[in-house]
Amino acid sequence: MARVGNISISHIGFLTPGNYPDGDPLSGLEQTLEQLQYGEDLGFDSAWVRQRHLEPGISSASAFLAAATQRTSRIELGTAVIPIGYESPYRLAEDLATVDVLSRGRLNIGVSAGRPLHADLIAPLVFDGDWTGFDFSHDRVLRFADNLRGTYLGETLIKTPFGPQRPRLQPYAKGLIDRIWYGGGSQRSAEWAGRNGFNLLTGNVITGEGTDDFFIAQSRLIETYRAAGTQRRVALGRVIVPFDSADATTRSRYRDCADGRHERTLSPQGERRTLFARDVVGTSEEILALLFADPILPEVSELRLELPYEFEHEQYRQILHDFATLIAPELGWKAPSDIRAAS
């Protein structure tokens, strides 16, 4: 199939759920680390993990990615996303700066603001006193970013075991401030991210504002972001499940999973009118036809493969392999010159 001329993807990443059996977290976390290594072997430019709470998945992205820095050497590592509501903007900055230093400058930090999920259950465990009046706005992200800038905290020296020091957040990770991404799902958040100079993560879930059409809404969101005056990066996420090298049973499972999620794509969901993109499932030829028809792909150069929650380790490896070898090159992507296709 000939590549469509106005699609030119130069950076591919993947987002893995990091799921594990409730009674055996080590097995799933270890397999997720192996997925990041495998993605690096395939030539993926970046690998991203979610941070979720009260679920059998990654609840501390910084701790997990610290381990990933020691298993990988080239691939960029990212959080997509850390809901900042439960975090201390200062302590989170310390943790993630440490991860970036350990990775030798490969970390991307995706964050989101707003009242965090499951607040009625978790907030009383995180905060002292009445948390219901706490500030969960975008300002929390700005405070986090300010801590990463390396600004000195006043002129007074402090005493330390290393001698007098001019205080600032340690370690200072040079350049990390430019690798903050905002997970924008609404016009307001996209405009705010662009105005404040953050990179933009946009995926298969956004808010419908003035339209029921997912692609129109997403195109408007990206337009709003860029109109705010930034020249930062935009990364597009899509759930893509190729099954070229899968067996018949696995192919059927992939189809069933997509069919079970299809109804939510037919109309806006809930009070916020959430819009979902359809999962892109099939042979590489079928998937490429759908991607060539995706009106958002020509607007970006970075594509993030979002892996569904429901699958097993070997299935994730198969999806990554087929995407990197059969699909991404047809979108204009080229593997690094030192990469040989992993088996």
Side-chain angles (χ1 to χ4, degrees):
M1 180 178 294
R3 179 164 67 90
V4 174
N6 60 351
I7 293 179
S8 182
I9 300 299
S10 59
H11 179 117
I12 61 169
F14 68 95
L15 171 62
T16 182
N19 50 304
Y20 52 77
D22 188 56
D24 185 17
L26 176 59
S27 66
L29 293 174
E30 177 64 31
Q31 287 176 346
T32 304
L33 288 170
E34 292 174 6
Q35 289 166 25
L36 270 57
Q37 292 176 279
Y38 186 59
E40 180 170 82
D41 292 342
L42 286 167
F44 276 88
D45 300 292
S46 60
W48 303 73
V49 298
R50 292 180 171 93
Q51 176 166 301
R52 309 274 290 195
H53 300 294
L54 304 182
E55 300 176 9
I58 294 169
S59 57
S60 175
S62 58
F64 179 83
L65 291 180
T69 66
Q70 307 305 294
R71 299 287 193 92
T72 58
S73 60
R74 178 196 59 81
I75 196 169
E76 295 180 20
L77 304 170
T79 68
V81 294
I82 296 176
I84 204 166
Y86 291 132
E87 307 292 338
S88 157
Y90 185 84
R91 281 288 301 116
L92 182 64
E94 283 185 320
D95 287 347
L96 292 173
T98 301
V99 174
D100 190 53
V101 170
L102 289 171
S103 75
R104 295 174 172 82
R106 291 184 286 133
L107 183 64
N108 292 282
I109 303 171
V111 294
S112 66
R115 179 184 166 109
L117 197 62
H118 308 304
D120 290 338
L121 292 172
I122 301 178
L125 306 177
V126 175
F127 305 112
D128 294 324
D130 182 9
W131 58 270
T132 57
F134 280 23
D135 179 16
F136 294 122
S137 72
H138 288 136
D139 288 344
R140 203 173 185 85
V141 178
L142 295 178
R143 288 168 53 200
F144 165 73
D146 283 342
N147 289 324
L148 291 177
R149 297 184 192 281
T151 305
Y152 289 101
L153 306 178
E155 301 294 331
T156 304
L157 299 180
I158 60 172
K159 295 180 179 180
T160 78
F162 308 101
Q165 300 286 325
R166 191 176 177 192
R168 67 174 176 179
L169 183 139
Q170 295 286 0
Y172 171 59
K174 185 178 180 180
L176 184 55
I177 186 66
D178 296 321
R179 286 177 269 122
I180 298 178
W181 299 71
Y182 192 78
S186 68
Q187 292 285 324
R188 175 174 174 268
S189 62
E191 190 279 333
W192 178 88
R195 177 162 40 87
N196 286 282
F198 298 123
N199 304 293
L200 179 69
L201 291 170
T202 180
N204 67 326
V205 183
I206 58 176
T207 302
E209 298 170 82
T211 180
D212 292 350
D213 187 298
F214 175 90
F215 293 118
I216 291 176
Q218 190 160 58
S219 181
R220 289 175 178 172
L221 185 141
I222 294 173
E223 181 181 2
T224 295
Y225 170 74
R226 288 178 170 151
T230 186
Q231 299 298 316
R232 298 288 187 179
R233 296 160 64 184
V234 177
L236 175 68
R238 289 287 184 263
V239 176
I240 302 172
V241 185
F243 55 42
D244 295 74
S245 63
D247 59 33
T249 300
T250 301
R251 289 185 177 204
S252 178
R253 183 177 181 187
Y254 291 165
R255 291 283 195 199
D256 290 344
C257 176
D259 289 345
R261 290 154 52 100
H262 180 65
E263 185 175 355
R264 69 178 189 171
T265 70
L266 301 178
S267 60
Q269 304 293 304
E271 293 181 1
R272 298 187 62 187
R273 294 177 46 80
T274 301
L275 301 176
F276 293 88
R278 63 180 289 190
D279 296 347
V280 187
V281 179
T283 66
S284 58
E285 185 173 357
E286 292 170 330
I287 286 172
L288 284 167
L290 291 170
L291 293 179
F292 291 154
D294 187 322
I296 310 301
L297 256 68
E299 300 187 33
V300 300
S301 61
E302 302 192 31
L303 179 61
R304 187 178 65 259
L305 167 65
E306 299 189 348
L307 296 170
Y309 282 94
E310 297 88 345
F311 302 145
E312 306 297 331
H313 178 58
E314 288 304 318
Q315 294 168 337
Y316 289 136
R317 285 176 59 94
Q318 175 261 308
I319 293 169
L320 291 173
H321 177 273
D322 287 0
F323 179 82
T325 59
L326 300 175
I327 296 173
E330 299 299 322
L331 301 175
W333 176 78
K334 296 180 180 178
S337 58
D338 59 340
I339 295 296
R340 289 179 294 181
S343 58

